[in-house]
Amino acid sequence: MQVPDFILRQPATLQEAITAAQEASRPPDGSHAPSAPEQGYDWLGGGTDLLCNYKWRINQRPVVIALRGVAELQSDVAGSLAAGRTLWQLENDAEIQRRYPALASTAALVASPLIRRSATLGGNLHLDTRCWHFNQTAEWRAAHRSCLKAEADQCRVLPDPGDVCVAAYCGDLAPVLIAYGAVARLHGPDGERRVPLAEYFAGDGIRRFAERRRAELMVAVEMPADAEDWRVNYRKLRLRQTFDFPEGGVAVGLQWESGNPGVIAAARIATTAYASVPLLHPEVVELLQGQLLDQDLADRAGALLESLVQPMKNTSMSPSYRRKMARVLCRRALLDCSPHSSS
Amino acid sequence: MSDYRSTVGQRLPLIDSMEKVSGQGTYIEDMSFPDMLYARMVRSSESHAVVEQVDFAAAAEIEGYVAGLAPGEAGTGIHFGVLPISEDETPLPAPKALHSGCIVAAVAAESERAAREAALRVEVRYSVLDPVVRPRDALRETDHPLHPTTVAGTNLHKAVDQEFGDVDGAFAEAATVASGEFRFDGINHGFTEPIGCIAVPEANGRMSLYSATQVPHYLHRALAKVLEMPMHRIRVFKPLVGGGFGGKSDPFPHEMVAALLARKTGRPVKIIFDRDEVFLNHHGRHPTEYRIRVAADGDGRLLGLDSHSRIDGGAWGSFGVVTTYYNGVLSQGPYRIPAFRYSGRRVYTNKPASGAMRGHGAVNARFALETCLDEVAEQLRLDPFDLRAQNALPPNTTTLNHLRITSTGFLECLQQVRERSGWERKFRQLPHGRGIGLGCGFYISGSALPIHRTRTPQSTVHVKIDVDGGVTIHSMAADIGQGSDTMLAQCVAEAMGVSMDRCRVFARDTDTAPLDLGSYSSRVTFMAGNAALRAGEAIRRKLHKACARLTGLRADDFLRGANETYVHRDDDSVRVPYADALREALADNGALIAKGIYRAPKLGGSFKGSGAGLSPSYSYQAFVAEVEVDEETGQVRVDKVWAAHDCGKALNRLAVEGQIEGSVHMGLGQALSEQLVFLNNGQLQNGSLLDYKIPAPPDTPEIEAIVVESNDPEGPLGAKECGEGALAPIIPAVANAIHDAVGVRMHEVPMTPERVFKALEKKRRAEEKLRAGS
Ligand SMILES: Cc1cc2nc3c(=O)[nH]c(=O)nc-3n(C[C@H](O)[C@H](O)[C@H](O)COP(=O)(O)OP(=O)(O)OC[C@H]3O[C@@H](n4cnc5c(N)ncnc54)[C@H](O)[C@@H]3O)c2cc1C
């Protein structure tokens, strides 16, 4: 297996990185389809997602801009986590473990220890969507004549997809950060903008983001001041205890009524791997709000979530099993939040 | 008396381990030759198609492109295969591509990068045929069978029907019958080192092939056939091999393609597969449907076994004829079975070929039998251990199908795991969700019949000693990581009474090594080990003659003594150091050489198929697994495994324990997570190590490897196999433990969370129905 040729840029500052991206990209043509192979650039974090795809000749670009040397992405500023932080650091940082325990423990569930040494926070959040008909070698895809997100104009998951791609978003950290109420800090030619992560992702397996601006990158993830008041928990469905992407993932965040631990004042429920973007589930939030968290409430919330998620047949476990497991994941994540639970 | 100190039973690190961990060792990927080209395979986009035309024009435009090889060119249509009875593979389609991803052409270029680019640009025109994907469809008549040799216009490759004793009578009189229909997905070996080879056309017109192979000899034969060259003009060289497990035990099309391209270009040609290509090459465990009935009397004595297998061979024959037999005959142990019927059908389908894989032919059948035995015990309210012990084959008996049983440590295996696992206080007593289960096994220690009809010994080992005092060992036994080089050194050193570090093993090169059939059927320690012992003994006799000359005493009266001396049997003050004996032996004579051979004794009956399953000895296993089942998700966690294996004698305890642990780990993969998934057209869906789920360290339980020694009368120093038999029992042990934990019987393997969950749902529904009804 060989990574195809590309031009590697190694900027040292944010400004240099943005300039390199401007040079490498043509003006966006307005379409959301992946630009032609001869166009554009990709940001490179740890490369544990991007370069795997490149090896399989999936949507590779001529220019790759490495972010490891960009100083602004390497160190946290007050209240935010730098996008260049490795998952290994997130997992082992004593302060993160104390302030955002679910973030540290979820980082430890991603991929494998070796991969987490180079995988970055920014890369994890921007992880490309995945599908059994997409994450395959060039020869495989050619034989299979798939897929919309790669070089073909048909989809093997849906019989009549239109131009909608149903590849699944399988990042583990996004739902957890959403449950904490985190905000993305982005930098581009026009300066900085801040977008709550809950609003950052949108669209389908190809489009993926509510608004993607040319030469813009994620500099950090800002944790809101009240993040530590939230009880957050994440449950992940996978076959093996390491390596495997989530086949379903449920994050819950709860805030208790003041003076009344166990009674839910506010809630956030986010899932991953069930759709092309991390999903929020206001219906479940509504069910939970103002209620005392007990077994029965957790059961009902799980059942409701099960009825809401609609996984596709494009990962290794069947959609019906993944859907049923949403209930279990949700119930367990909720019960882990209860005041008497150790986590 | 001799106070010779033997290494037998010690924990010896493998002699090539430092070389490997330091990176000094040479694998195919590390090798290169001047002017070497890189070849890349062009693979079929169709599951079943006639290849009409291959066009290299666009590929030739890539800078560095040198040559292409297409169907129709010399040699590309010559048939070969590991078994002479099913030589149905060809280097390139002749004229049909038989599965999606099979090799249809190849390009050679100056660099790997150029070869890859060029291969992507080769245009192939097909005339497409309907693929046969499901085994049951393969039994229908068709106008386009995969091979012209199939049975009666279908895609049936091999049918086996055997019956011994009064089977119908046994079932008629049975007090209890357990039965089941089982389904097993195909699984891949998952060895570490991807497949690769380098073909080198020598200046003198010979052809050398360097290949990561388990079977240099069969590769040698196949090359001679395809290249239409006499064997002496061909040399096969086996560098270090990074794991095989049966996945490198056939001669393969890419090896032929490398040689043909080397001949065509006059330059060395290297091929290294990507992982997805390893999956496409496959030759792994057959997807299998298995039907079985077991009859027992009221006391739990087994009366009869009736089984049927339908195995999915994929595109080629490979070892499949043997697999078809093994799925039946290897169920004749470790229990005495008075009536036995088996029918097996192996079919061709348009998928990557199935072949031999660790525990070849025995694993799936074993699962079915051991699961049913658990059921018999349950029905008769017997303890599963008691049921098995009561039916154990005694030593020195013969089975119905004429397998000769000599040593057996089966009862001791049972006793060891029963005690160590705390069975008595756990079985049927653990809290709901936790369970414990037993699975047993039985495996050949080398196939007694060679693949080719010949009187040549199955193993020959040469030993040479010269003035430096080192011991040079030549053999073609293939070390594939299992440690056979270490075993050869140990056997020779042991026989000579010298230190192992004098030994250097050259088991790589058909030009210098005497014949050995290779690493398959768990034959190497038994056969090559015996040959090595005999070679070492033969050369020691020469040294004893030198001792006689030096002392004036009789050669036959010398024994091996401590610190590399030869000692007189009646007077241990008479000692001749090895160095002195050697100097005397070399005088006027030159380097000493000796050889040892092994040929299996004549065994077995004279009925059709009587050769299958014959072995000079058999290994035995009893394993216990303790599991926890998450009833809400169906996830099974194996907490601990106790694995007792009768290997005859542990020559090297470290190596034996390593084999047991490795087998358990590999078996757990088949038990819980590994499966090849195919699309409806036969295209392999999950040919990557992310999607093909081999258990990782956190999934692997604590394994207590228990070595049982029955001291085989014919094994080298009492040893028999330990590399394969230990895989099968863990799978039913887990299934039986799941049953103990949550009361469901799993008939589909792997027992993925989803399958366990479904079985639990089915049980819940049945219970609800029962409650509603009552
Ligand atoms: C075997 C294996 C198992 C895996 N298992 C999991 C898993 O269980 N869970 C999981 O979540 N992931 C998993 N991954 C995917 C991946 O390793 C992680 O998601 C990782 O965090 C990606 O980070 P990276 O820095 O390596 O990303 P890269 O590969 O460098 O980048 C990924 C994407 O993000 C973009 N990007 C990177 N940084 C920025 C930035 N600052 N701003 C904007 N865009 C950016 C890149 O352009 C690219 O499109 C697995 C990968 C492998 C190979």
Side-chain angles (χ1 to χ4, degrees), chain A residues 41-52 67 73 83-84 87 109-112 115-116 118-128 130 169-173 186 200 208 212 216-219 236 238 243-246, chain B residues 690:
Chain A
Y41 68 93
D42 273 315
W43 302 117
L44 180 75
T48 64
D49 178 45
L50 188 77
L51 296 182
C52 299
L67 298 175
L73 263 67
L87 302 191
L109 299 179
V110 173
S112 69
I115 291 172
R116 295 199 292 275
S118 32
T120 64
L121 172 60
N124 189 274
L125 291 171
H126 291 87
L127 180 68
D128 204 354
R130 304 185 62 80
Y169 178 79
C170 299
D172 280 307
L173 294 185
L186 309 164
Y200 186 56
R208 304 169 53 214
R212 193 119 210 227
E216 188 178 67
L217 77 165
M218 183 181 279
V219 178
K236 172 174 182 174
R238 59 177 170 180
F243 296 131
D244 290 344
F245 283 92
Chain B
L690 182 59

Side-chain angles (χ1 to χ4, degrees), chain B residues 497-545:
Chain B
V498 298
S499 152
M500 250 175 94
D501 66 15
R502 285 190 186 274
C503 296
R504 48 232 172 178
V505 180
F506 292 83
R508 315 176 188 166
D509 187 345
T510 56
D511 270 8
T512 53
L515 183 92
D516 187 281
L517 296 182
S519 287
Y520 64 99
S521 86
S522 273
R523 55 176 296 285
V524 176
T525 293
F526 206 96
M527 299 192 178
N530 265 321
L533 275 181
R534 286 166 195 167
E537 281 158 8
I539 214 156
R540 178 159 59 88
R541 279 195 295 277
K542 297 187 187 209
L543 293 167
H544 285 179
K545 278 187 190 147

Side-chain angles (χ1 to χ4, degrees), chain B residues 22-356:
Chain B
S22 67
Q24 226 177 57
T26 308
Y27 294 87
I28 274 290
E29 173 63 2
D30 302 314
M31 303 179 81
S32 72
F33 292 84
D35 282 332
M36 189 170 81
L37 298 173
Y38 297 81
R40 179 85 184 155
M41 304 302 103
V42 178
R43 293 180 177 276
S44 177
S45 61
E46 307 304 322
S47 294
H48 195 190
V50 175
V51 177
E52 299 287 358
Q53 201 198 348
V54 177
D55 184 352
F56 294 105
E61 281 169 21
I62 297 291
E63 193 181 318
Y65 170 92
V66 174
L69 188 74
E73 290 188 49
T76 61
I78 296 180
H79 286 86
F80 66 92
V82 69
L83 300 185
I85 33 175
S86 42
E87 289 188 329
D88 53 16
E89 295 199 51
T90 48
L92 294 179
K96 288 202 297 184
L98 293 177
H99 70 84
S100 177
C102 79
I103 301 170
V104 292
V107 296
E110 299 287 352
S111 68
E112 189 184 340
R113 202 166 280 274
R116 280 175 188 273
E117 293 301 328
L120 284 171
R121 282 167 179 72
V122 174
E123 280 165 30
V124 184
R125 218 180 63 224
Y126 300 94
S127 129
V128 177
L129 300 165
D130 281 341
V132 182
V133 179
R134 292 178 311 180
R136 79 180 106 118
D137 296 336
L139 288 168
R140 300 216 182 95
E141 268 184 47
T142 167
D143 294 335
H144 301 285
L146 270 70
H147 298 281
T149 49
T150 54
V151 180
T154 67
N155 277 301
L156 178 61
H157 169 218
K158 176 72 187 173
V160 170
D161 291 283
Q162 291 191 330
E163 185 160 350
F164 301 94
D166 178 9
V167 178
D168 293 330
F171 280 87
E173 74 179 71
T176 184
V177 171
S179 65
E181 285 185 29
F182 295 83
R183 227 180 61 78
F184 303 85
D185 284 306
I187 57 166
N188 181 265
H189 317 83
F191 43 69
T192 310
E193 181 205 17
I195 280 171
C197 70
I198 306 174
V200 182
E202 307 287 356
N204 58 15
R206 296 182 74 208
M207 179 67 74
S208 295
L209 191 85
Y210 298 75
S211 187
T213 179
Q214 301 178 227
V215 287
H217 176 61
Y218 299 134
L219 176 55
H220 198 182
R221 280 178 180 252
L223 281 166
K225 191 166 183 231
V226 169
L227 297 175
E228 299 178 277
M229 281 166 80
M231 280 175 80
H232 75 272
R233 305 283 292 156
I234 296 168
R235 171 185 180 214
V236 173
F237 187 100
K238 179 206 79 75
L240 290 181
V241 175
F245 308 111
K248 297 172 181 170
S249 63
D250 295 59
F252 289 126
H254 74 275
E255 291 168 321
M256 310 299 139
V257 165
L260 293 171
L261 271 171
R263 185 163 74 183
K264 183 167 176 176
T265 59
R267 295 171 62 177
V269 173
K270 182 174 193 170
I271 297 173
I272 302 283
F273 279 0
D274 290 340
R275 180 59 59 175
D276 61 292
E277 297 183 279
V278 172
F279 278 103
L280 293 172
N281 192 69
H282 192 46
H283 289 67
R285 180 117 54 238
H286 289 65
T288 301
E289 293 156 38
Y290 207 86
R291 255 194 350 254
I292 185 173
R293 293 192 297 154
V294 180
D297 72 12
D299 300 327
R301 242 188 316 270
L302 296 181
L303 300 176
L305 172 63
D306 184 5
S307 60
H308 175 79
S309 75
R310 184 152 70 199
I311 63 180
D312 184 348
W316 288 290
S318 183
F319 279 96
V321 170
V322 179
T323 322
T324 318
Y325 278 111
Y326 278 5
N327 264 282
V329 299
L330 294 184
S331 300
Q332 294 244 354
Y335 314 110
R336 186 194 277 292
I337 295 169
F340 172 82
R341 181 191 293 140
Y342 167 68
S343 68
R345 299 287 179 270
R346 183 184 194 265
V347 295
Y348 289 117
T349 56
N350 292 107
K351 288 183 284 193
S354 307

Side-chain angles (χ1 to χ4, degrees), chain A residues 42-223:
Chain A
D42 273 315
W43 302 117
L44 180 75
T48 64
D49 178 45
L50 188 77
L51 296 182
C52 299
N53 284 348
Y54 272 30
K55 282 184 182 176
W56 282 356
R57 292 166 186 267
I58 293 174
N59 297 340
Q60 78 245 27
R61 303 276 187 269
V63 177
V64 169
I65 306 170
L67 298 175
R68 174 155 300 170
V70 175
E72 291 91 330
L73 263 67
Q74 303 313 319
S75 46
D76 302 346
V77 288
S80 67
L81 306 167
R85 279 238 184 176
T86 66
L87 302 191
W88 179 261
Q89 290 166 345
L90 296 184
E91 162 189 0
N92 290 293
D93 184 311
E95 199 183 327
I96 293 179
Q97 288 170 352
R98 184 175 56 77
R99 300 179 67 181
Y100 320 115
L103 179 60
S105 61
T106 303
L109 299 179
V110 173
S112 69
L114 192 66
I115 291 172
R116 295 199 292 275
R117 290 272 184 171
S118 32
T120 64
L121 172 60
N124 189 274
L125 291 171
H126 291 87
L127 180 68
D128 204 354
T129 52
R130 304 185 62 80
C131 173
W132 265 33
H133 306 275
F134 171 67
N135 297 97
Q136 298 282 359
T137 65
E139 291 91 338
W140 194 98
R141 297 193 310 273
H144 195 48
R145 295 159 198 108
S146 56
C147 70
L148 289 182
K149 189 169 159 68
E151 50 282 285
D153 53 9
Q154 53 177 321
C155 172
R156 292 292 180 142
V157 185
L158 294 182
D160 185 14
D163 68 343
V164 174
C165 165
V166 294
Y169 178 79
C170 299
D172 280 307
L173 294 185
V176 172
L177 288 168
I178 289 172
Y180 276 116
V183 175
R185 277 188 39 219
L186 309 164
H187 248 277
D190 306 331
E192 183 177 275
R193 63 185 179 115
R194 296 169 67 257
V195 185
L197 267 186
E199 294 161 25
Y200 186 56
F201 301 93
D204 71 347
I206 294 169
R207 281 150 269 241
R208 304 169 53 214
F209 301 99
E211 184 189 355
R212 193 119 210 227
R213 296 191 189 168
R214 186 164 60 95
E216 188 178 67
L217 77 165
M218 183 181 279
V219 178
V221 173
E222 209 173 275
M223 301 301 275

